[in-house]
Amino acid sequence: LRKAATVEEAESEEFAVLETYTSVLGALEVDDIASARSSLSHMASAFPNDSYMTCASARADAYGGRDVDSALRQFASVRARDPYFTEDMDYYAKLLYEALEGEKLRELSASMMELTPESHQTWTCAAYYSDYSISRKVIEEGKFPRSGSTKAESIIAAEKAVRLSGGRSHMALITLGSMCLKNKRYQEGIAAFNQSNAIKLSMHAFKGLVHAYLATGSGTSAMMYAKQAIKRAPQDGMAWSLVGDVHAKKTGDTESAIKAYEQALAYNPRLLRAVKAIAALNVKIGKIHVARAVLQRQLDDYQPTHPDELVSLYCRLAQVLMLSRQPTESVKYYQRALAVNPDCTVAAKALDKFEQTRNVEFAAGGGPDAENISSGEEDDMEEDIDDDAGSGQDGDWMVEGQ
């Protein structure tokens, strides 16, 4: 910018604004969130309602899942102020998808299709909404898409986004890789994530590569990319959790896996996937009391604000309490999960099982047998460790029953 500007232009107030905004975008591209926030703070007072600034701030808040709620609010405020604004709406679509905000995602996708039908941002939004719609149909109707060589609509939309961008959109490639991973097209996913990393190294791409290689049985390649993620961002909780995934899934080194997840929580105490992984691994090695303490501490100190994450944590703690031979306390947390989400099938089935077992025992003249009840809970916790690394709406292999 300074090379292109004259001396007079470089000294103007307008140039200072442009230079600061460019610094913000540059910092975001290299994941230097501290510098991005610093530059944004200088711009906030001068341009409090500027859509570009607000979107940049939202991207900074969303990085690493640090404050997704704030990011969602900021993107929503941009949409409310200027319904015709389309910049960075692909980032917004991804956040809505991960937050399971289906109706807002549908509205955004429809609006983008009407405003800019031939932009890569529009087709990225379409890919996320298509996959969300299929996922909800599976959950609500139990109808799984036909297997075979036919590509999912979400993959077709993501491929079009990549084509429209000329293969230069990092977000379009991340979306394509994620959709391929979810539809078990692992080699295509690996190619998309690698192409994305060639444009911009990102934790999303490293996460996709680790999970794709774990799914194909290549633990060595998965560990290589997990270590590259740490080298790229040594203080990023997600990077350390990827190392934990590889140890837990492939090497069988439970102690190293737990240490990696604990390191992840040291950098990001709200990283729920690491919390649940530590709990599941401790259950696997028989340290149920440790699993309970980890989950309880998370609820006490860093209770999730998103309803689905809170429900997931309640259910996980309820399972551990049942394993601890405390069925009454376990029931309380299942009931809390249902209070937040009445459609939570994990909690509903667990409570039904508890009632059936209790009725049988009382009919025989005894009380509820916690050992019989907890046998299924231990199986559930064991399944956490054996799950495919690419499963779950957000690629979190620990997610169950959302």
Side-chain angles (χ1 to χ4, degrees):
L1 280 175
R2 288 194 171 277
K3 288 181 179 179
T6 64
V7 175
E8 184 179 355
E9 287 173 336
E11 294 176 351
S12 67
E13 183 178 348
E14 292 82 356
F15 183 86
V17 172
L18 180 60
E19 188 175 42
T20 303
Y21 179 59
T22 305
S23 298
V24 170
L25 295 183
L28 288 174
E29 287 305 306
V30 297
D31 297 335
D32 184 359
I33 305 304
S35 296
R37 288 184 181 278
S38 176
S39 297
L40 282 167
S41 65
H42 295 306
M43 302 284 286
S45 57
F47 302 94
N49 295 317
D50 181 80
S51 295
Y52 291 95
M53 288 293 104
T54 304
C55 286
S57 178
R59 287 175 58 185
D61 284 346
Y63 181 80
R66 281 173 169 77
D67 197 345
V68 175
D69 289 340
S70 173
L72 287 170
R73 286 194 300 270
Q74 291 185 79
F75 275 125
S77 70
V78 170
R79 292 274 300 155
R81 287 196 306 265
D82 185 0
Y84 298 98
F85 189 84
T86 60
E87 192 77 18
D88 286 341
M89 288 300 109
D90 46 353
Y91 287 90
Y92 185 31
K94 185 176 186 297
L95 289 178
L96 291 173
Y97 170 82
E98 292 172 348
L100 305 179
E101 295 282 0
E103 183 58 27
K104 292 180 180 179
L105 183 56
R106 183 195 67 78
E107 292 175 357
L108 176 63
S109 181
S111 175
M112 290 291 289
M113 196 63 72
E114 182 179 346
L115 292 171
T116 54
E118 293 302 315
S119 75
H120 64 85
Q121 291 97 332
T122 292
W123 286 94
T124 298
C125 293
Y128 281 120
Y129 180 63
S130 175
D131 188 74
Y132 174 85
S133 299
I134 293 172
S135 299
R136 296 311 300 175
K137 183 174 291 188
V138 170
I139 293 171
E140 294 169 3
E141 302 176 14
K143 296 180 180 179
F144 289 84
R146 292 182 180 179
S147 59
S149 59
T150 304
K151 285 185 180 179
E153 290 181 5
S154 58
I155 295 180
I156 295 173
E159 287 178 334
K160 184 166 183 176
V162 172
R163 286 197 305 272
L164 289 171
S165 72
R168 295 188 297 272
S169 170
H170 156 75
M171 182 56 69
L173 286 163
I174 287 293
T175 304
L176 175 59
S178 299
M179 298 307 150
C180 288
L181 192 60
K182 191 165 185 183
N183 286 277
K184 302 185 186 304
R185 304 175 78 100
Y186 300 118
Q187 295 304 322
E188 294 173 49
I190 288 170
F193 288 128
N194 276 322
Q195 190 176 348
S196 171
N197 262 350
I199 297 171
K200 171 194 172 183
L201 292 174
S202 74
M203 200 55 60
H204 291 298
F206 283 126
K207 180 181 176 183
L209 287 165
V210 169
H211 288 176
Y213 278 115
L214 283 177
T216 56
S218 180
T220 302
S221 295
M223 182 60 80
M224 178 186 72
Y225 282 108
K227 289 181 177 179
Q228 285 185 17
I230 290 179
K231 184 178 180 180
R232 163 70 173 170
Q235 295 185 357
D236 190 304
M238 178 58 72
W240 284 95
S241 76
L242 295 178
V243 173
D245 288 352
V246 180
H247 281 306
K249 180 69 176 177
K250 284 299 174 189
T251 70
D253 188 346
T254 302
E255 183 178 351
S256 294
I258 291 175
K259 286 182 178 178
Y261 288 126
E262 288 175 341
Q263 188 66 51
L265 287 178
Y267 290 123
N268 183 1
R270 296 186 180 278
L271 191 60
L272 189 58
R273 71 190 309 273
V275 174
K276 292 191 292 183
I278 292 173
L281 289 168
N282 275 289
V283 167
K284 185 178 181 180
I285 61 178
K287 295 183 177 181
I288 298 175
H289 64 288
V290 176
R292 176 186 175 180
V294 168
L295 294 167
Q296 189 67 62
R297 183 173 64 244
Q298 194 70 17
L299 270 176
D300 293 342
D301 298 342
Y302 302 101
Q303 181 169 303
T305 57
H306 192 280
D308 289 303
E309 291 185 346
L310 182 58
V311 167
S312 178
L313 194 54
Y314 278 150
C315 289
R316 190 64 69 242
L317 181 55
Q319 287 177 337
V320 172
L321 286 167
M322 195 67 78
L323 293 173
S324 301
R325 309 294 187 259
Q326 300 180 64
T328 304
E329 287 297 310
S330 175
V331 166
K332 289 181 181 179
Y333 281 100
Y334 279 130
Q335 289 172 338
R336 291 182 185 181
L338 286 174
V340 177
N341 178 13
D343 297 324
C344 178
T345 56
V346 172
K349 288 180 180 179
L351 289 176
D352 286 343
K353 183 177 180 180
F354 176 76
E355 287 298 326
Q356 291 169 9
T357 307
R358 183 172 65 172
N359 290 338
V360 170
E361 294 298 327
F362 275 122
D369 187 344
E371 184 172 353
N372 289 336
I373 296 169
S374 67
S375 61
E377 306 297 337
E378 190 163 357
D379 291 340
D380 288 341
M381 297 295 285
E382 288 288 342
E383 286 173 5
D384 276 349
I385 305 302
D386 296 329
D387 276 351
D388 184 345
S391 66
Q393 178 102 340
D394 59 353
D396 179 355
W397 64 284
M398 300 301 296
V399 170
E400 175 188 62
Q402 285 192 354

